[in-house]
Amino acid sequence: ERPSLVMGTVRMEERSVGYPQHVNHDLSAMGCPVHLDDVDLFGEGAQEHWYEAYEILHRDAPVHRLDGGGLTPGSDAFILTKHADITMVVKDPVRFPSVTTMRLGKLVEQGLSGEEVYAAQNSLMTASMVTLRPTQELYFRHRKELTDPWVGPGAFRHREMIAQHANALIDEWIADSGAGDFEVEFISRFARPLPQRVMASILGFPLEDMPRLAAWGDAVVMPFVQGHGHRHELTPEQIDDMVARLDGFQEYIYEHVTAKRADPRDDMVSFLCDAHYQALDRKLTDIEIAGIVHAMIIGGLETTQYALEEQAQLLCEFPGTFERLRNDRSKLRNFVEESMRMRSPTHGLSTRVTANDEVFQGVPVPAGSLLHMRFGAANVDADEFECPFDLDLDREGVSRHVTFSAGPRVCPGATLSRLEQQIAWGVLLDRLESIEYG
C-alpha cells in the first residue's frame, strides 16, 4: 500500500515567483507591475513578479533596452523575451557570439596557460576552458570526447543508479515517519539531495562527502543565485565570501585525481584522468580535470533541483495531474517538458553579443550590444505556445521550450537532467498515493 506524501511548505527562496494562475506576492515589498515603467526583472523581490512582467514585456517592449548595460563603456544591453528571437540568437554563434568565447579568445591571444589564468581569475572552469575549448570547434570536440559519454547521450547508463538514489531517499522518509501518511519538506529531502547524490556518483566522489560537496556547490553557483543585475555581478564582499567558501575545493579534486590515476574506477573523474583528448592529441592536466568537475557541479545541481521543486508545486496546483500520471506513464515525458516550459529553472542569462547591427521586433540593436536572453519569458510566449499558462500534457512539440537553450551550444547536461526528472517522478509515482501542500 502506497503512503501519501503531504508536502511541507515549498520554500523557493530567491526563486519564488507568482504567475497568473497561482499568485503569491507575500515575500517582498516590491509591487506587482501594471505598466511597463513598473517592470524590474532584477530588483529585490523581482522573482515574485516575473511572469506578470513577461506579459507586459511581450505586449509593450519585447526588446527592452538597458541603457549602459553593455560590456563596454557606452554600449547597451537588450532584454529579448520572444521565443523566435531567442531561438534565432542561440542557434547562430557566429552572428551572435558568446561572451565566454570572446573572453577566452582574448586570454588565448595573451598566451596564458591554464595555471596562469587560474592565478589571475581564481576560476577553475575558465582555467580549463582556455586550453580545452576556446574556439567553437574545440567546444564541440570537448563535449563529444569528454562530457557527452557521461552527461550527454551517454547519460542513459545512469538509469539504475538514479532510481536507486530516488528510492533510497523515499526509504529515509518512511524510516523517519513510519507507515501511512507523512509530511516531508520536499526540497531538502528530495529535490536538492537527489541531483547532488547523482552527480557525486557520476564523478566518483563518496556520498559521505555530500555536506562538503553541497557547500562547495552553493559557492560555485553564487553568481547565478545571488548576483546582481542582468550580468549576475557580485560585490567585492560577495566575491571574497565565495572564494573563502571554495577553500579546499581544488585540493579535494586534486586528491581524487591522484587517487584515481593510481586506482581508476568506473566514474567520470577516472575517465578524465585516462582520456586521451584527440582534439589536442594529449591527456588532460589536473587543472583541466578540475575545471570540468567545476562545470559539472554548476550544471548538474541547480537546474535539476529547481525543476523538481517547480514540478512538485505544479502537481499541487493542478488537481488530478498526479493521478493521471500515475495511471498513464506515457504522459510523464510531456509533464517534465511542460513543467520546464511553464516554470523555467533558469529564467535568463546575458551570454550573447551582436557581431553586427541587428533588428529585433522592429527595434534597432547596434553591433557590440549585450543580449540578455529571457528564457522564462520565451517559454510562455503566446505567439509560440497556445494558452501558455496551462499545463497541457497533450501539447504538441512540447520540447520546443528553451529551458536548456538550443542549437549548437545547448546545455551539455540536458540529457542527464531530463533523465533524472523522469526517473525521479517515475519512482515517486510508483511509491506515493498522492502529493499535496501541507
Side-chain angles (χ1 to χ4, degrees):
E1 181 177 341
R2 286 185 288 253
S4 62
L5 168 61
V6 180
M7 288 186 61
T9 301
V10 178
R11 296 188 299 273
M12 298 304 293
E13 298 177 351
E14 296 193 13
R15 295 279 181 146
S16 289
V17 296
Y19 83 126
Q21 293 213 354
H22 184 72
V23 179
N24 174 18
H25 297 322
D26 299 326
L27 301 182
S28 76
M30 179 179 282
C32 187
V34 178
H35 306 290
L36 181 60
D37 290 344
D38 302 328
V39 170
D40 178 2
L41 298 181
F42 310 106
E44 185 177 354
Q47 296 90 337
E48 291 184 75
H49 309 292
W50 276 342
Y51 285 98
E52 291 89 353
Y54 296 160
E55 290 193 309
I56 295 171
L57 289 172
H58 284 155
R59 183 188 67 225
D60 298 335
V63 181
H64 190 52
R65 181 192 297 268
L66 297 174
D67 294 331
L71 296 176
T72 57
S75 66
D76 299 326
F78 291 81
I79 300 173
L80 304 183
T81 60
K82 298 295 287 181
H83 187 277
D85 291 338
I86 292 175
T87 53
M88 177 181 70
V89 168
V90 297
K91 290 181 179 181
D92 194 339
V94 175
R95 189 172 161 191
F96 306 101
S98 78
V99 173
T100 299
T101 299
M102 293 169 61
R103 287 173 175 165
L104 289 175
K106 292 179 181 179
L107 293 172
V108 171
E109 289 176 3
Q110 296 174 39
L112 298 177
S113 67
E115 288 73 13
E116 289 170 329
V117 170
Y118 181 66
Q121 299 193 9
N122 202 45
S123 169
L124 287 171
M125 193 162 64
T126 303
S128 70
M129 289 192 297
V130 75
T131 52
L132 292 181
R133 56 181 183 97
T135 66
Q136 190 67 28
E137 179 184 357
L138 282 176
Y139 174 82
F140 292 139
R141 296 288 297 273
H142 175 278
R143 283 184 55 162
K144 182 178 180 180
E145 293 187 39
L146 303 179
T147 62
D148 275 359
W150 294 89
V151 299
F156 291 96
R157 70 164 76 183
H158 308 309
R159 280 183 174 277
E160 184 177 349
M161 177 265 288
I162 296 169
Q164 287 174 347
H165 283 309
N167 275 297
L169 287 167
I170 297 174
D171 289 341
E172 292 175 11
W173 303 347
I174 296 172
D176 291 344
S177 305
D181 293 352
F182 51 87
E183 183 169 327
V184 171
E185 205 293 305
F186 187 76
I187 295 176
S188 62
R189 299 297 301 273
F190 194 84
R192 181 171 173 79
L194 178 63
Q196 289 175 346
R197 293 187 184 193
V198 168
M199 186 51 63
S201 297
I202 290 173
L203 292 170
F205 295 152
L207 292 185
E208 54 265 31
D209 290 346
M210 281 306 312
R212 281 198 294 169
L213 293 169
W216 284 327
D218 288 342
V220 165
V221 300
M222 271 186 68
F224 304 102
V225 177
Q226 300 180 27
H228 305 281
H230 63 287
R231 292 189 295 191
H232 307 288
E233 295 174 315
L234 297 175
T235 65
E237 293 76 17
Q238 287 176 313
I239 292 173
D240 290 343
D241 179 41
M242 180 178 70
V243 171
R245 289 164 61 183
L246 285 170
D247 183 48
F249 182 46
Q250 182 183 20
E251 291 74 16
Y252 177 87
I253 297 173
Y254 284 173
E255 288 173 7
H256 281 274
V257 167
T258 299
K260 291 177 188 299
R261 288 194 193 281
D263 184 20
R265 305 294 177 91
D266 184 20
D267 57 59
M268 188 174 183
V269 173
S270 295
F271 166 81
L272 293 172
C273 288
D274 188 56
H276 186 89
Y277 188 33
Q278 297 296 328
L280 298 179
D281 192 25
R282 63 171 175 79
K283 289 186 178 264
L284 305 181
T285 65
D286 287 1
I287 201 166
E288 288 170 341
I289 295 171
I292 295 173
V293 171
H294 185 108
M296 291 298 100
I297 288 177
I298 286 182
L301 300 184
E302 297 294 300
T303 299
T304 303
Q305 172 188 329
Y306 290 132
L308 291 170
E309 294 173 11
E310 297 286 5
Q311 286 154 5
Q313 290 198 80
L314 287 170
L315 288 171
C316 293
E317 293 163 12
F318 287 83
T321 304
F322 188 90
E323 183 71 15
R324 182 180 177 189
L325 291 172
R326 198 152 58 80
N327 294 328
D328 184 359
R329 301 304 175 86
S330 69
K331 300 297 183 184
L332 183 53
R333 174 183 173 274
N334 277 27
F335 168 71
V336 166
E337 299 295 339
E338 264 287 85
S339 64
M340 287 193 290
R341 180 193 67 77
M342 291 179 66
R343 304 279 186 88
S344 300
T346 299
H347 273 253
L349 293 172
S350 300
T351 56
R352 296 297 180 100
V353 173
T354 52
N356 310 293
D357 291 343
E358 300 284 350
V359 177
F360 295 97
Q361 307 292 325
V363 177
V365 176
S369 298
L370 179 64
L371 300 178
H372 178 80
M373 293 172 292
R374 204 65 188 178
F375 303 120
N379 285 343
V380 291
D381 182 356
D383 288 337
E384 183 68 23
F385 302 101
E386 185 178 1
C387 302
F389 294 106
D390 287 352
L391 179 64
D392 184 357
L393 300 186
D394 299 311
R395 189 182 298 275
E396 295 184 1
V398 70
S399 61
R400 298 195 313 276
H401 63 78
V402 287
T403 294
F404 295 111
S405 189
R409 296 184 75 90
V410 68
C411 174
T415 300
L416 174 63
S417 181
R418 284 182 160 108
L419 186 67
E420 280 187 74
Q421 294 172 56
Q422 291 182 37
I423 291 175
W425 285 110
V427 170
L428 289 164
L429 290 164
D430 283 342
R431 300 193 63 181
L432 301 179
E433 187 70 32
S434 64
I435 181 171
E436 60 188 54
Y437 284 123

